[in-house]
Amino acid sequence: QSALTQPASVSGSPGQSITISCTGTSSDIGTYNFVSWFQQHPGKAPKLLVYDVNYRPSGVSNRFSGSKSGNMASLTISGLQAEDEADYYCNSFTTANTHVFGGGTRLTVL
Amino acid sequence: VQLVETGGGLVQPGGSLRLSCVASGFTLSDYWMHWVRQAPGQGLVWVSRINEDGIVSNYADSVKGRFTISRDNAKNTVYLQINSLRAGDTAMYYCVRDLRDYNYWGQGTLVTVSS
């Protein structure tokens, strides 16, 4: 049950778009479309942004979008805003009937 | 919707704790429930899950054999029994409803393992 692989950090300027990758294996992302993305601000509980690869819960901005290709999932944030500065985590269901998170990506808005 | 975790605290290595998660504002028996932990300054780690009626449970390899998840739907409560605590178990423990479209997180309870 190795953690999914995410870049440690990404950055972008306000208004730009950034993409965070999440690389798994054929035992998780490659088999299931049960990939979720979470945003966490310091000292706060995580918040769901995307589930089932590319579905947004009600209330989440359409600036957040998800996708998947093979063993890799991605989260794209368009029109970066200062409030987007946070940690982002991907999560997938696995063939062992468990879940696994990515190591997390720190987004800095320049 | 509310999830309130309790039971955390300072415990010596080798000790045990039982974390509780009281749910309100929704029907607990309709959902899978999870525990997720986060060590200080570190990332999220999935720990365990239990199905709607408590029959099925799964665990991360790192906690299998030491942690036990359970639930009492009549009491609207999910539990995590943690035994043989180690320094590496020091973390905020979050109770989480579903990890998909019905996701909701509690505010967490802090477990500190230290002598």
Side-chain angles (χ1 to χ4, degrees):
Chain A
Q1 291 177 350
S2 299
L4 305 174
T5 301
Q6 298 181 231
S9 63
V10 297
S11 63
S13 300
Q16 287 186 330
S17 293
I18 63 94
T19 296
I20 299 172
S21 61
C22 172
T23 303
T25 69
S26 57
S27 296
D28 37 67
I29 294 176
T31 294
Y32 298 107
N33 287 328
F34 299 140
V35 177
S36 296
W37 288 90
F38 299 89
Q39 175 193 63
Q40 187 180 33
H41 288 105
K44 300 291 187 180
K47 172 189 174 183
L48 178 68
L49 296 176
V50 169
Y51 67 94
D52 293 358
V53 175
N54 57 6
Y55 290 85
R56 276 187 308 276
S58 61
V60 172
S61 171
N62 59 9
R63 298 187 299 108
F64 297 92
S65 61
S67 62
K68 188 189 98 165
S69 178
N71 295 339
M72 188 174 78
S74 298
L75 175 72
T76 297
I77 309 174
S78 59
L80 269 180
Q81 300 178 0
E83 68 210 48
D84 297 332
E85 188 161 291
D87 293 326
Y88 292 83
Y89 297 90
C90 57
N91 177 277
S92 176
F93 187 61
T94 82
T95 56
N97 291 321
T98 61
H99 283 259
V100 61
F101 280 97
T105 298
R106 173 71 51 88
L107 169 62
T108 301
V109 180
L110 301 170
Chain B
V1 174
Q2 197 170 14
L3 294 170
V4 178
E5 303 96 330
T6 58
L10 176 63
V11 60
Q12 292 188 339
S16 298
L17 279 177
R18 187 175 81 156
L19 308 183
S20 299
C21 168
V22 177
S24 60
F26 68 99
T27 302
L28 182 64
S29 58
D30 285 345
Y31 298 94
W32 282 84
M33 296 296 294
H34 303 252
W35 287 95
V36 174
R37 70 181 181 182
Q38 186 171 35
Q42 303 301 308
L44 301 174
V45 176
W46 180 84
V47 171
S48 181
R49 71 170 188 162
I50 188 166
N51 79 324
E52 295 91 336
D53 60 10
I55 300 299
V56 177
S57 59
N58 303 103
Y59 300 89
D61 287 344
S62 58
V63 306
K64 203 175 293 183
R66 295 192 301 125
F67 288 20
T68 303
I69 190 171
S70 62
R71 68 194 293 161
D72 185 339
N73 289 334
K75 294 184 178 179
N76 292 314
T77 304
V78 181
Y79 304 98
L80 186 68
Q81 178 69 40
I82 309 176
N83 298 329
S84 304
L85 277 157
R86 312 163 177 165
D89 295 320
T90 293
M92 183 71 77
Y93 284 74
Y94 292 101
C95 176
V96 185
R97 183 185 77 176
D98 188 59
L99 281 170
R100 296 172 58 213
D101 46 343
Y102 296 102
N103 177 252
Y104 193 85
W105 295 68
Q107 289 305 302
T109 186
L110 182 62
V111 172
T112 303
V113 184
S114 175
S115 54

